[in-house]
Amino acid sequence: MTATTIESDAGTQDVPSSEVRRDMYRLMVEIRHFEKRWMRIFNSGKTGPGHSSIGMEAIAAAFGTLLGEGDKTYATYRGHAHTLARGVPMNETMAELLGRATGLNGGKGGSMHLTSVDHGMMGSYAIIGAHLPVATGAALASKYKGEDTVTVCFFGDGTTNIGAFHEAINLAAIWSLPVIFVCENNQYMEYTPIRDVTAVDRPAADRAASYGLPAIEVDGNDPDLLHAAASAAIERARAGQGPSLIEAVTYRHLGHASADPGKYRPQEEIDEWIGRDPVPMYKARLVEAGVPAEDLDEMEQQIIQRVEQAADFALASPLPAVDTLMTNVWANGDSSWRR
Amino acid sequence: MTYRAAVTRAIQQEMRHDDRVFLIGEDVAKPGGVFKTTGGLLDEFGPRRVMDTPISEQAIIGAAMGAASSGLRPIAEMMFADFVLVAQDLVSNQIAKSSYMTNGQLPLPLVIRFNAGGGLRFGAQHSQSVENWLMAIPGLKVVAPSTPADVIGLMAAAVRDPDPVMFVEHKGLLSSKGEVPDGDIVDELGKAKVVREGRDATIVAVGMMVGRALKAAEFLAADGVDCQVIDVRSLVPLDTTTILEAVRSTGRLITVEENPRLCGWGAEICSIVVEEIFSSLTAAPVRITTPHIPLPHAGVLEDAAIPSVDRIMETVRGAYARV
Ligand SMILES: Cc1ncc(C[n+]2csc(CCOP(=O)(O)OP(=O)(O)O)c2C)c(N)n1
């Protein structure tokens, strides 16, 4: 796509600058290779399970280029991508996936609970929907303190059917809070297609009206369209105009979790979506727009090296000391409950 | 001052003390709270700091958590203790585990307050005591004041505490009165109080049961049995030092709890005492609880379930008879 403006439900926007496009591509490639490397470690039996977002990288990448200091990200257990997209170092992220002492959470979090408060990565949550009200509270704090920071909350299509989703969006809407709810609609909850268990076609967008919000649906494999929708929503939030609910339609190439082959999905469907893989698609678009392919290849090679280093770092890192078992239940670092 | 007025004064004191403190809940602002514990706060602090919410327990507690993780000090009201359970995922899976799972990156300074306990004929879904459930979740502090002065001091301690505190106001105590000194009151969590000295037995109680234990002790004293009464005040952290010292001096322990017998907090205290100072005991510890039933509505039934002054007296006498 080389036109200077693009269309999306969020309105007509300029195409992102070439630096931004490059950044988005870089993040997508980082996430892709990170996830692939981690899956290899998983398959070799050296780490516990987790949830990859191979095929869904464009969403994290688009928001990643737009969020800055003070902005907050809330993710689900499928949160490796969103962690990297906030600039959290690969080494510590990989180490946390492997439960090492050098990990982001000292090995106590693991794949499903990646947190780096310093980077605005406020955590990945493993109970469906729980983080939507929490993100609402973070946005409440921004407004309370008069800051123009925004909170972005990612979740899956399956999450739109749990109560906390509805409570959180209503609260954010009545209080006009600077929070953006982003449904990564990969069309499956665990193993069940979302359409089998949802009465509307678009699980998030079709419900937006219930909370007084516009319905925003975006192609979740198109970084440029995502970038446009995200910047509109972020602008709206920073301007005090309240929350947005964005549905990004995408697909996970692999199963739900690392040991799931995802066989419950028709092969034609998988093939079709792999044919729309956002990483090569976007590369082709950038090349068409004049970015030398060699530059992108070189960038990719460097990323592969960094991912290898992160894997080496994590695998060589010590396991947590057993006495950390008893630390940090309380804010003073302690765990004792009696005096 | 009434216990009810003490709640308002406590919140007011903390909101004046710290601009990061705000109150959020159903009917807390304009209506002044369904238990009339938050009247006037909206007038003083305005809608930025005193917020009426929809009926969305998960959203209220989740918002408090998000705000606490972003540097504020929320007080979230859940109205009835029973409604905490509607948002129990947020309480036990999210809030309680935040500090630990993030390895100390995200401790949560917040207070969740609610009215617990029976005695007002509200029936099974509006009368529960949930302290024992909450204290079983690592990461939560649990505080249950029995007097107006304690309401203020312990609320201040709870709001200023860096950890999540579940603040239990007993609805049966709302119109009870007590002396409250002027000026700011700030207490400390994890300190039990010996509210009556005595030689012969130690009665340990919380919330509405403290007053009943004191009354029973008065009657027993007239019969020549001199009971010590301890108000635990804070179940987590738990002041086992004061409790163990007391039981060491009397040799007998009676716990009085207003919750079903299975897994009540009294069992924990008895277990600690038996494990740690068994040789000081001159009799087996005794637990007074409600039966293992939901609380009934009918007055005659509810009264039969919740430990009464008479039941406490009889049980203490029985414990003596067994020696
Ligand atoms: C409250 C709750 N119920 C069930 C689960 C089990 N579970 C884990 S992931 C998942 C599917 C979630 O689907 P979706 O929201 O679409 O997210 P996706 O995995 O597709 O990113 C389920 C049911 C859970 N973690 N929490």
Side-chain angles (χ1 to χ4, degrees), chain A residues 188-213:
Chain A
Y188 284 81
M189 28 188 285
E190 273 172 339
Y191 313 128
T192 304
I194 191 66
R195 63 176 175 275
D196 289 2
V197 291
T198 310
V200 292
D201 288 337
R202 303 181 301 176
D206 283 347
R207 278 135 165 187
S210 326
Y211 309 105
L213 298 175

Side-chain angles (χ1 to χ4, degrees), chain A residues 49-293:
Chain A
H51 308 76
S52 99
S53 44
I54 288 182
M56 303 164 56
E57 294 91 342
I59 304 167
F63 277 91
T65 59
L66 283 160
L67 297 178
E69 203 173 327
D71 295 333
K72 298 195 163 89
T73 297
Y74 285 85
T76 69
Y77 50 87
R78 199 180 299 288
H80 307 171
H82 298 297
T83 305
L84 297 177
R86 287 311 305 268
V88 178
M90 265 187 203
N91 282 8
E92 284 75 16
T93 307
M94 189 67 91
E96 187 60 35
L97 298 184
L98 271 60
R100 303 300 166 126
T102 52
L104 298 172
N105 307 18
K108 281 177 177 162
S111 165
M112 299 210 276
H113 299 295
L114 303 171
T115 310
S116 178
V117 173
D118 287 346
H119 294 87
M121 176 59 201
M122 301 303 284
S124 3
Y125 288 71
I127 304 285
I128 299 303
H131 59 316
L132 279 81
V134 182
T136 300
L140 170 66
S142 294
K143 185 168 178 173
Y144 189 98
K145 294 194 269 188
E147 298 168 350
D148 69 350
T149 52
V150 302
T151 299
V152 182
C153 181
F154 299 95
F155 53 92
D157 41 284
T159 302
T160 61
N161 288 323
I162 203 160
F165 167 88
H166 302 272
E167 295 193 13
I169 295 174
N170 182 56
L171 198 70
I174 57 172
W175 290 348
S176 224
L177 299 177
V179 54
I180 299 145
F181 299 101
V182 184
C183 176
E184 300 183 279
N185 181 0
N186 61 21
Q187 307 178 55
Y188 284 81
M189 28 188 285
E190 273 172 339
Y191 313 128
T192 304
I194 191 66
R195 63 176 175 275
D196 289 2
V197 291
T198 310
V200 292
D201 288 337
R202 303 181 301 176
D206 283 347
R207 278 135 165 187
S210 326
Y211 309 105
L213 298 175
I216 303 173
E217 187 191 358
V218 196
D219 178 347
N221 283 19
D222 186 326
D224 291 336
L225 293 176
L226 284 160
H227 191 272
S231 25
I234 291 172
E235 225 166 85
R236 179 181 149 95
R238 287 205 211 282
Q241 288 163 354
S244 300
L245 176 56
I246 296 176
E247 178 168 336
V249 183
T250 183
Y251 200 76
R252 57 168 153 78
H253 291 184
L254 305 177
H256 167 66
S258 35
D260 166 28
K263 286 284 180 337
Y264 40 85
R265 306 173 303 176
Q267 193 57 46
E268 316 84 77
E269 180 185 287
I270 299 175
D271 293 344
E272 186 196 326
W273 279 95
I274 288 185
R276 300 199 54 231
D277 185 337
V279 180
M281 257 180 18
Y282 201 51
K283 183 178 177 186
R285 186 183 298 173
L286 294 193
V287 171
E288 196 187 319
V291 183

Side-chain angles (χ1 to χ4, degrees), chain B residues 5-6 19 25 33 37 44 53 75 95 118 140 142 144 193 198 203 205 214 216 218 224 264 280 284:
Chain B
D19 179 63
T37 46
E44 178 172 353
T53 65
I75 304 176
I95 291 172
L140 299 178
V142 183
K193 239 186 214 165
I203 306 179
L214 280 169
E218 268 168 43
S280 312

